[in-house]
Amino acid sequence: MKKKLAAVIVVLLLAFAAYVETPTASINKNYMYFYGDTNDTEEASSNLDALGSPELEYQLDSTVEEDGFLIETYREYELYKDSNGEVAKTVATSNTQSIKYAENE
């Protein structure tokens, strides 16, 4: 009986510890978690700050024929727009997506 009670207590303590460690726990509502590298040495440009947050858009980067297939690669770009809605600056990111099509004959 004591072993079963001890096992139940251990399981409850582990479950509570797991709950407290989750970012969505109500005990952590006053904290903000950052997942990623905090050693950013790149400074934000004041020009980009004036443009606001970028919109993300994928644009066709390349098309390659390989083994009877067409492979299109799309690159993600950050589009910064001015107050008139015109694209003022475009910055390429490292994110890419590829789509493979069977070639029509």
Side-chain angles (χ1 to χ4, degrees):
M1 180 69 179
K2 288 184 180 181
K3 288 184 179 181
K4 289 182 182 179
L5 181 61
V8 169
I9 290 173
V10 168
V11 168
L12 289 175
L13 285 175
L14 288 174
F16 178 74
Y19 172 73
V20 169
E21 290 295 321
T22 60
T24 57
S26 61
I27 198 170
N28 295 326
K29 66 182 177 184
N30 295 328
Y31 299 101
M32 183 174 74
Y33 290 93
F34 177 76
Y35 298 102
D37 188 16
T38 58
N39 297 329
D40 291 336
T41 57
E42 183 179 331
E43 294 181 18
S45 166
S46 61
N47 186 22
L48 294 181
D49 291 340
L51 297 175
S53 298
E55 292 181 13
L56 299 176
E57 180 180 287
Y58 280 95
Q59 297 176 2
L60 182 63
D61 195 35
S62 66
T63 302
V64 178
E65 286 187 42
E66 186 175 300
D67 298 329
F69 290 96
L70 278 174
I71 301 173
E72 293 180 346
T73 303
Y74 292 85
R75 179 169 301 278
E76 184 180 50
Y77 288 87
E78 294 177 348
L79 303 177
Y80 292 91
K81 295 185 177 182
D82 60 10
S83 59
N84 296 330
E86 300 292 324
V87 176
K89 184 169 183 160
T90 303
V91 178
T93 67
S94 61
N95 296 334
T96 59
Q97 296 286 328
S98 295
I99 301 176
K100 188 175 186 178
Y101 297 102
E103 208 170 0
N104 291 334
E105 295 183 22

